[in-house]
Amino acid sequence: AFRERIEDIDLVILDMILPGAGGKEVLDTMRTLRPGVPVLLTSGYSREYFGEFVGEEKRTRFIQKPYSMEELAREVRSLLDA
């Protein structure tokens, strides 16, 4: 879906634990195809587990499950505004 609509996507919410391909592989592929796209990583695992993928210069943030809709909205807005 990302490849098909690459220019229409303003932000990606990506679960890091995926069946088949892991979140890291998906993130790497997206970064290769469109380096600047903002990405909000999510997982039930802690932030420390995915810290190497997160950073302002990477336009990537992390939100741990479970999260509220308010937390999700705040992170999405912050990434879009950055």
Side-chain angles (χ1 to χ4, degrees), residues 48-69:
E48 288 75 30
Y49 191 77
F50 302 106
E52 69 182 278
F53 308 113
V54 178
E56 293 302 316
E57 71 284 351
K58 299 175 187 176
R59 295 196 71 193
T60 306
R61 297 204 182 169
F62 177 82
I63 186 169
Q64 187 173 354
K65 294 178 188 178
Y67 47 81
S68 69
M69 290 305 294

mmCIF file of all heavy atoms in Angstrom, residues 48-69:
data_model
loop_
_atom_site.group_PDB
_atom_site.id
_atom_site.type_symbol
_atom_site.label_atom_id
_atom_site.label_comp_id
_atom_site.label_asym_id
_atom_site.label_seq_id
_atom_site.Cartn_x
_atom_site.Cartn_y
_atom_site.Cartn_z
ATOM 1 N N GLU A 48 12.699 1.568 24.996
ATOM 2 C CA GLU A 48 14.125 1.239 25.002
ATOM 3 C C GLU A 48 14.445 0.164 23.968
ATOM 4 O O GLU A 48 15.518 0.157 23.374
ATOM 5 C CB GLU A 48 14.566 0.771 26.390
ATOM 6 C CG GLU A 48 14.638 1.869 27.422
ATOM 7 C CD GLU A 48 13.258 2.307 27.923
ATOM 8 O OE1 GLU A 48 12.328 1.472 27.953
ATOM 9 O OE2 GLU A 48 13.111 3.492 28.255
ATOM 10 N N TYR A 49 13.518 -0.717 23.713
ATOM 11 C CA TYR A 49 13.712 -1.797 22.753
ATOM 12 C C TYR A 49 13.847 -1.261 21.328
ATOM 13 O O TYR A 49 14.526 -1.848 20.500
ATOM 14 C CB TYR A 49 12.535 -2.770 22.871
ATOM 15 C CG TYR A 49 12.714 -4.064 22.127
ATOM 16 C CD1 TYR A 49 13.526 -5.068 22.634
ATOM 17 C CD2 TYR A 49 12.067 -4.286 20.921
ATOM 18 C CE1 TYR A 49 13.680 -6.264 21.964
ATOM 19 C CE2 TYR A 49 12.225 -5.484 20.238
ATOM 20 C CZ TYR A 49 13.028 -6.455 20.764
ATOM 21 O OH TYR A 49 13.188 -7.625 20.087
ATOM 22 N N PHE A 50 13.203 -0.141 21.030
ATOM 23 C CA PHE A 50 13.197 0.427 19.681
ATOM 24 C C PHE A 50 13.890 1.778 19.594
ATOM 25 O O PHE A 50 13.785 2.469 18.587
ATOM 26 C CB PHE A 50 11.748 0.572 19.183
ATOM 27 C CG PHE A 50 11.012 -0.724 19.174
ATOM 28 C CD1 PHE A 50 10.051 -0.998 20.127
ATOM 29 C CD2 PHE A 50 11.292 -1.686 18.215
ATOM 30 C CE1 PHE A 50 9.371 -2.204 20.118
ATOM 31 C CE2 PHE A 50 10.627 -2.898 18.205
ATOM 32 C CZ PHE A 50 9.662 -3.151 19.163
ATOM 33 N N GLY A 51 14.610 2.158 20.631
ATOM 34 C CA GLY A 51 15.227 3.474 20.705
ATOM 35 C C GLY A 51 16.111 3.846 19.528
ATOM 36 O O GLY A 51 16.166 4.998 19.129
ATOM 37 N N GLU A 52 16.800 2.882 18.954
ATOM 38 C CA GLU A 52 17.710 3.194 17.843
ATOM 39 C C GLU A 52 16.982 3.681 16.602
ATOM 40 O O GLU A 52 17.572 4.294 15.724
ATOM 41 C CB GLU A 52 18.557 1.969 17.488
ATOM 42 C CG GLU A 52 17.748 0.840 16.867
ATOM 43 C CD GLU A 52 18.587 -0.383 16.558
ATOM 44 O OE1 GLU A 52 19.243 -0.394 15.497
ATOM 45 O OE2 GLU A 52 18.578 -1.305 17.390
ATOM 46 N N PHE A 53 15.680 3.423 16.514
ATOM 47 C CA PHE A 53 14.905 3.812 15.337
ATOM 48 C C PHE A 53 14.215 5.159 15.498
ATOM 49 O O PHE A 53 13.630 5.685 14.558
ATOM 50 C CB PHE A 53 13.832 2.766 15.025
ATOM 51 C CG PHE A 53 14.375 1.380 14.933
ATOM 52 C CD1 PHE A 53 14.026 0.425 15.864
ATOM 53 C CD2 PHE A 53 15.241 1.020 13.913
ATOM 54 C CE1 PHE A 53 14.518 -0.864 15.780
ATOM 55 C CE2 PHE A 53 15.749 -0.256 13.819
ATOM 56 C CZ PHE A 53 15.388 -1.207 14.763
ATOM 57 N N VAL A 54 14.265 5.715 16.705
ATOM 58 C CA VAL A 54 13.496 6.905 17.043
ATOM 59 C C VAL A 54 14.407 8.124 17.112
ATOM 60 O O VAL A 54 15.527 8.043 17.589
ATOM 61 C CB VAL A 54 12.784 6.705 18.406
ATOM 62 C CG1 VAL A 54 12.026 7.931 18.821
ATOM 63 C CG2 VAL A 54 11.874 5.488 18.337
ATOM 64 N N GLY A 55 13.917 9.258 16.618
ATOM 65 C CA GLY A 55 14.670 10.493 16.740
ATOM 66 C C GLY A 55 14.108 11.577 15.845
ATOM 67 O O GLY A 55 13.508 11.297 14.814
ATOM 68 N N GLU A 56 14.281 12.808 16.271
ATOM 69 C CA GLU A 56 13.771 13.944 15.510
ATOM 70 C C GLU A 56 14.375 14.007 14.113
ATOM 71 O O GLU A 56 13.681 14.277 13.140
ATOM 72 C CB GLU A 56 14.034 15.251 16.258
ATOM 73 C CG GLU A 56 13.254 15.399 17.552
ATOM 74 C CD GLU A 56 11.751 15.303 17.363
ATOM 75 O OE1 GLU A 56 11.216 15.906 16.421
ATOM 76 O OE2 GLU A 56 11.113 14.608 18.173
ATOM 77 N N GLU A 57 15.687 13.746 14.017
ATOM 78 C CA GLU A 57 16.337 13.799 12.706
ATOM 79 C C GLU A 57 15.822 12.706 11.773
ATOM 80 O O GLU A 57 15.879 12.824 10.559
ATOM 81 C CB GLU A 57 17.863 13.710 12.848
ATOM 82 C CG GLU A 57 18.399 12.356 13.269
ATOM 83 C CD GLU A 57 18.216 12.005 14.750
ATOM 84 O OE1 GLU A 57 17.821 12.870 15.543
ATOM 85 O OE2 GLU A 57 18.470 10.843 15.088
ATOM 86 N N LYS A 58 15.286 11.647 12.358
ATOM 87 C CA LYS A 58 14.720 10.553 11.564
ATOM 88 C C LYS A 58 13.227 10.754 11.313
ATOM 89 O O LYS A 58 12.608 9.948 10.634
ATOM 90 C CB LYS A 58 14.939 9.219 12.284
ATOM 91 C CG LYS A 58 16.386 8.885 12.506
ATOM 92 C CD LYS A 58 16.509 7.628 13.331
ATOM 93 C CE LYS A 58 17.953 7.380 13.697
ATOM 94 N NZ LYS A 58 18.103 6.228 14.578
ATOM 95 N N ARG A 59 12.659 11.798 11.910
ATOM 96 C CA ARG A 59 11.222 12.070 11.847
ATOM 97 C C ARG A 59 10.432 10.844 12.300
ATOM 98 O O ARG A 59 9.447 10.452 11.698
ATOM 99 C CB ARG A 59 10.798 12.514 10.455
ATOM 100 C CG ARG A 59 11.427 13.843 10.063
ATOM 101 C CD ARG A 59 10.772 14.497 8.916
ATOM 102 N NE ARG A 59 9.456 14.986 9.351
ATOM 103 C CZ ARG A 59 8.532 15.388 8.504
ATOM 104 N NH1 ARG A 59 8.754 15.364 7.220
ATOM 105 N NH2 ARG A 59 7.373 15.825 8.940
ATOM 106 N N THR A 60 10.911 10.234 13.377
ATOM 107 C CA THR A 60 10.304 9.012 13.895
ATOM 108 C C THR A 60 10.118 9.139 15.396
ATOM 109 O O THR A 60 11.034 9.557 16.103
ATOM 110 C CB THR A 60 11.201 7.794 13.595
ATOM 111 O OG1 THR A 60 11.469 7.755 12.199
ATOM 112 C CG2 THR A 60 10.526 6.502 13.990
ATOM 113 N N ARG A 61 8.946 8.774 15.846
ATOM 114 C CA ARG A 61 8.637 8.759 17.278
ATOM 115 C C ARG A 61 8.070 7.396 17.638
ATOM 116 O O ARG A 61 7.745 6.602 16.774
ATOM 117 C CB ARG A 61 7.631 9.846 17.623
ATOM 118 C CG ARG A 61 8.203 11.206 17.351
ATOM 119 C CD ARG A 61 7.552 12.228 18.159
ATOM 120 N NE ARG A 61 8.142 13.519 17.799
ATOM 121 C CZ ARG A 61 7.658 14.644 18.173
ATOM 122 N NH1 ARG A 61 6.589 14.685 18.914
ATOM 123 N NH2 ARG A 61 8.244 15.763 17.821
ATOM 124 N N PHE A 62 7.913 7.171 18.943
ATOM 125 C CA PHE A 62 7.415 5.891 19.439
ATOM 126 C C PHE A 62 6.319 6.121 20.456
ATOM 127 O O PHE A 62 6.422 7.019 21.287
ATOM 128 C CB PHE A 62 8.557 5.097 20.093
ATOM 129 C CG PHE A 62 8.115 3.798 20.700
ATOM 130 C CD1 PHE A 62 7.958 2.677 19.908
ATOM 131 C CD2 PHE A 62 7.831 3.704 22.045
ATOM 132 C CE1 PHE A 62 7.533 1.468 20.453
ATOM 133 C CE2 PHE A 62 7.408 2.508 22.614
ATOM 134 C CZ PHE A 62 7.270 1.394 21.808
ATOM 135 N N ILE A 63 5.283 5.306 20.390
ATOM 136 C CA ILE A 63 4.225 5.325 21.390
ATOM 137 C C ILE A 63 3.965 3.873 21.806
ATOM 138 O O ILE A 63 3.810 2.998 20.961
ATOM 139 C CB ILE A 63 2.943 6.024 20.863
ATOM 140 C CG1 ILE A 63 1.903 6.178 21.961
ATOM 141 C CG2 ILE A 63 2.390 5.308 19.655
ATOM 142 C CD1 ILE A 63 0.735 7.079 21.583
ATOM 143 N N GLN A 64 3.990 3.641 23.121
ATOM 144 C CA GLN A 64 3.836 2.281 23.632
ATOM 145 C C GLN A 64 2.376 1.940 23.844
ATOM 146 O O GLN A 64 1.592 2.758 24.322
ATOM 147 C CB GLN A 64 4.603 2.123 24.946
ATOM 148 C CG GLN A 64 4.618 0.696 25.443
ATOM 149 C CD GLN A 64 5.529 0.519 26.646
ATOM 150 O OE1 GLN A 64 6.237 1.428 27.050
ATOM 151 N NE2 GLN A 64 5.510 -0.669 27.210
ATOM 152 N N LYS A 65 2.012 0.722 23.450
ATOM 153 C CA LYS A 65 0.660 0.214 23.687
ATOM 154 C C LYS A 65 0.543 -0.192 25.147
ATOM 155 O O LYS A 65 1.528 -0.647 25.729
ATOM 156 C CB LYS A 65 0.392 -1.020 22.828
ATOM 157 C CG LYS A 65 0.349 -0.776 21.357
ATOM 158 C CD LYS A 65 0.124 -2.119 20.681
ATOM 159 C CE LYS A 65 0.248 -2.052 19.195
ATOM 160 N NZ LYS A 65 0.069 -3.373 18.593
ATOM 161 N N PRO A 66 -0.590 -0.114 25.738
ATOM 162 C CA PRO A 66 -1.788 0.530 25.211
ATOM 163 C C PRO A 66 -1.671 2.044 25.354
ATOM 164 O O PRO A 66 -1.033 2.550 26.274
ATOM 165 C CB PRO A 66 -2.905 -0.008 26.094
ATOM 166 C CG PRO A 66 -2.241 -0.303 27.399
ATOM 167 C CD PRO A 66 -0.825 -0.704 27.061
ATOM 168 N N TYR A 67 -2.262 2.759 24.434
ATOM 169 C CA TYR A 67 -2.252 4.217 24.481
ATOM 170 C C TYR A 67 -3.675 4.722 24.268
ATOM 171 O O TYR A 67 -4.522 4.038 23.705
ATOM 172 C CB TYR A 67 -1.312 4.826 23.442
ATOM 173 C CG TYR A 67 -1.440 4.240 22.058
ATOM 174 C CD1 TYR A 67 -2.444 4.638 21.190
ATOM 175 C CD2 TYR A 67 -0.552 3.268 21.624
ATOM 176 C CE1 TYR A 67 -2.555 4.091 19.927
ATOM 177 C CE2 TYR A 67 -0.657 2.718 20.353
ATOM 178 C CZ TYR A 67 -1.657 3.134 19.514
ATOM 179 O OH TYR A 67 -1.783 2.591 18.273
ATOM 180 N N SER A 68 -3.913 5.917 24.749
ATOM 181 C CA SER A 68 -5.236 6.530 24.599
ATOM 182 C C SER A 68 -5.325 7.226 23.249
ATOM 183 O O SER A 68 -4.298 7.522 22.615
ATOM 184 C CB SER A 68 -5.490 7.535 25.720
ATOM 185 O OG SER A 68 -4.641 8.661 25.561
ATOM 186 N N MET A 69 -6.505 7.531 22.824
ATOM 187 C CA MET A 69 -6.692 8.281 21.582
ATOM 188 C C MET A 69 -6.068 9.676 21.705
ATOM 189 O O MET A 69 -5.552 10.208 20.735
ATOM 190 C CB MET A 69 -8.181 8.388 21.225
ATOM 191 C CG MET A 69 -8.779 7.055 20.794
ATOM 192 S SD MET A 69 -7.885 6.263 19.425
ATOM 193 C CE MET A 69 -8.186 7.408 18.104
#
